[in-house]
Amino acid sequence: MRRRRIFFVFIIFLAVVSCKEPEARRPKQQGTTNFYKEVLKENKRLNALEKKRLEEWVAKDTVKVYKSSPNGFWYTYITKDTLNSSSPQAEDLVMLSYNIVDLNGGVLYEKRERSYKVDKEDFIPALQDGIKLMKKGETITFVIPSYRAFGVTGDGNKIAVNQPIQSTVTLIDIKSKKEE
């Protein structure tokens, strides 16, 4: 009988303790919008500084004539084809060779060949646009700001965070999607 009484008292105690008024929760602070605005503002400032630095770097190279792309990079022809008029189009399969060096000429990645399906595969963003400027047999050196290359993450290996790069690309072959 004593156990029942203790159990009954315990149940009443739980009922009394659990029946209190609900507490209003404090709202979460909504600071994320301002945070993103600040990050965006800082990125724009850093990109503008990097662009200015690259423009100065390109201007110092008196041997080569660089063209500015509306896509945010600079390029100069090493070998130009004035006879051929066909450039790669979306979904064409191209064979190319390329290397990646830093702005001081230090080799980050040796020359390598690869095939690339235009606009359908992941590749360095500036080179995705730059390849469409090329014709079969041409060689172009691209000067690429970090935000059009590997950005704020680098490549996790040899390319550092926010590092601008150069890449010399040779377009070896174009297989049009129409030929398939």
Side-chain angles (χ1 to χ4, degrees), residues 57 64 66 73-78 96-103 106 108-112 123-124 126-128 130-131 134 139-145 148-150 159 164-170:
W57 185 89
K64 300 174 186 159
Y66 287 90
F73 58 87
W74 294 264
Y75 61 99
T76 184
Y77 285 90
I78 306 301
L96 55 97
S97 69
Y98 70 102
N99 69 349
I100 299 176
V101 298
D102 62 24
L103 294 184
L108 299 171
Y109 290 101
E110 296 286 335
K111 191 175 193 176
R112 57 179 72 167
F123 196 39
I124 301 169
L127 293 185
Q128 289 177 336
I131 288 167
M134 300 180 76
T139 302
I140 297 179
T141 297
F142 296 94
V143 177
I144 307 169
R148 293 289 290 151
F150 292 92
I159 299 174
I165 59 172
Q166 293 181 73
S167 182
T168 300
V169 179
T170 301

Side-chain angles (χ1 to χ4, degrees), residues 2-135:
R2 190 162 192 245
R3 282 186 177 175
R4 276 190 181 174
R5 196 175 282 162
I6 291 174
F7 181 72
F8 184 68
V9 169
F10 181 70
I11 295 294
I12 291 175
F13 175 75
L14 281 178
V16 170
V17 171
S18 65
C19 292
K20 60 182 186 176
E21 291 288 319
E23 291 183 25
R25 296 185 309 181
R26 295 186 180 265
K28 291 182 180 179
Q29 288 187 341
Q30 300 295 328
T32 57
T33 304
N34 288 337
F35 173 75
Y36 289 128
K37 286 180 183 177
E38 291 298 317
V39 167
L40 186 61
K41 183 179 176 182
E42 181 65 10
N43 277 341
K44 285 181 180 180
R45 186 185 73 77
L46 291 173
N47 289 344
L49 285 172
E50 183 177 18
K51 181 180 179 185
K52 183 178 179 183
R53 207 172 68 235
L54 288 175
E55 286 172 342
E56 291 170 357
W57 185 89
V58 165
K60 285 181 185 177
D61 189 349
T62 57
V63 177
K64 300 174 186 159
V65 176
Y66 287 90
K67 294 182 181 182
S68 177
S69 163
N71 295 315
F73 58 87
W74 294 264
Y75 61 99
T76 184
Y77 285 90
I78 306 301
T79 306
K80 185 170 177 133
D81 183 353
T82 56
L83 301 176
N84 193 352
S85 62
S86 64
S87 295
Q89 303 298 314
E91 297 187 28
D92 286 352
L93 185 66
V94 297
M95 177 59 77
L96 55 97
S97 69
Y98 70 102
N99 69 349
I100 299 176
V101 298
D102 62 24
L103 294 184
N104 297 322
V107 176
L108 299 171
Y109 290 101
E110 296 286 335
K111 191 175 193 176
R112 57 179 72 167
E113 288 188 5
R114 78 166 275 184
S115 61
Y116 166 68
K117 194 164 192 171
V118 179
D119 291 343
K120 295 297 178 184
E121 292 182 40
D122 192 25
F123 196 39
I124 301 169
L127 293 185
Q128 289 177 336
D129 294 328
I131 288 167
K132 292 185 251 179
L133 300 172
M134 300 180 76
K135 298 172 187 164

